[in-house]
Amino acid sequence: CTQLKKANLPEAVTHVGRYAFSNCESLPAEGKVRYVGRYLVGVTDAYETSFKIKEGTKWIGDGAFSLSFMTSITIPESVTYIGEHAFVACENLTQIDFPKSVTHIGSLAFERCSGLTSLTIPATLKHVEENAFLSCENIKKLIYEEGRTTTMGIRLPSITSAILPQSLTSIGEKTFHDCSSLTSVTIPEGVTSIGDFAFASCVSLQNITIPSKVTTIGRYAFLGCESFTAITIPDRVTTIGESAFAACSNLASINIPQSVTYIGKEVFSGCNSLPVEDGLRYADTYLVKATDIFGKSATIREGTKWIGSNAFYACTDLEKVILPSTLEHICYYAFAWCYHLNTAFAGNSIYYGIQLPSGLKTIEDGAFGWCDAIRTLRIPKTVTSLGEGAFGWCTELSKVYVEWETPIDLSNVNGVFDYRTRETADLMVPNGTKANYASAYEWKDFPCIMEYLCTDIKDIKTSHASTTRKYLENGRMVIKNAGHRYTLDGSLEQ
């Protein structure tokens, strides 16, 4: 509206849309700045070097000072909103002081303000668009004022240092994402959570101390921190998100405290400096990956609690795994597409099939998916969670032993077993529980549900030194030795 000379903005107005008064060049100016009520529209002279915005102004409009030659500006305490492109390419501006009233900074608001060397974020600022300071390549220092409780994702790859206030309780999502020049930062002791992508791709960050009160490390939080060599996770951490430490290629040492109850998939993917033992890469109690994908057998070391996501993925020659008695979690697709896997057991409790150890708690999505050679499976009563397709498309699976007296609820899972298994395999349940399974979601689909005597005896010792085979037969332990069979208590049967 190039001929518009007068407009008012009532007090009731709380929002002004993008470029609402763009190119309204006939509006009157005050000190080379055009206003419509409390809305700053733009300037009449882009060559002016200093501006002072009048008191009472609430909005700095989209593109208001774009391409200005200004070197300084004074923003009053009344301003709450800085629009998109408001100061784009103000290359001579060397400092910007945000009043405590500002709550929003729009997209590309300070793009290419190459004269800025530091940035201070007020405690009251609620929202900054991620690209608000795009191409401000000379900003080296980021300061968050005391009083803030969380940080924000502001894309500033050029910063080399950051000062965080003691008032912080969380490191927000993408706070230092892609800050490739950042070499060090101190996280305040009061922080309890580190958000998704918080330090992702901080390739120059050499080390970091995670405070003792942290309970959650978000997804991709330290993705691609290539300079890390060691990390200590504090004892209060319960959750480590997906790919939290992925691609930390020089990480050689990390601990998993007992407090951790959830670890997301691919958490240590690409951490190829972690130690390897017997062809298996470990991060403390977490088995990361089998480094020999052509091995026919694997022995997982005692003390291991987690078999990580995709740990043995597509190890198509793998036939046998000795599991640790300490195992608690089998993660996402851990043994998926191990076509020849037919035997897994802990200690001396062995038989032909998959016998998961007592103490196991979770079996995640696709953990044994497409393991065609599995014929017999035993799930201990300690398991409290079964994921989607955990045993999906195990085409030869014919007998499933379970130990729960009350079936685990599968109503919120989209099929632990595939339809073929549910149509053809036998489900073996503890004595006196058949009726429970016959009415339970998914379990009731098995065509044959049979009861067996559930015992806590896991092994039998005999006087014969040359015991040749131990296995389960119809739910009971059997030993064959030199033609003899032994009963459950170890006495000679025949």
Side-chain angles (χ1 to χ4, degrees), residues 464 466-469 480-486 494:
H464 292 77
S466 57
T467 298
T468 57
R469 191 177 178 199
K480 282 188 175 180
N481 173 265
H484 300 294
R485 285 169 54 93
Y486 294 84
Q494 64 179 42

Side-chain angles (χ1 to χ4, degrees), residues 448-468:
C448 182
I449 302 176
M450 294 184 288
E451 295 180 350
Y452 73 97
L453 177 62
C454 190
T455 175
D456 288 330
I457 296 177
K458 301 300 181 186
D459 193 18
I460 300 173
K461 305 295 184 184
T462 76
S463 58
H464 292 77
S466 57
T467 298
T468 57

Side-chain angles (χ1 to χ4, degrees), residues 103-131:
T103 59
H104 178 94
I105 299 176
S107 175
L108 302 170
F110 293 89
E111 181 192 7
R112 288 181 288 137
C113 288
S114 55
L116 295 175
T117 58
S118 68
L119 180 64
T120 299
I121 304 298
T124 50
L125 185 55
K126 295 179 180 178
H127 181 78
V128 180
E129 292 290 343
E130 182 181 350
N131 60 356

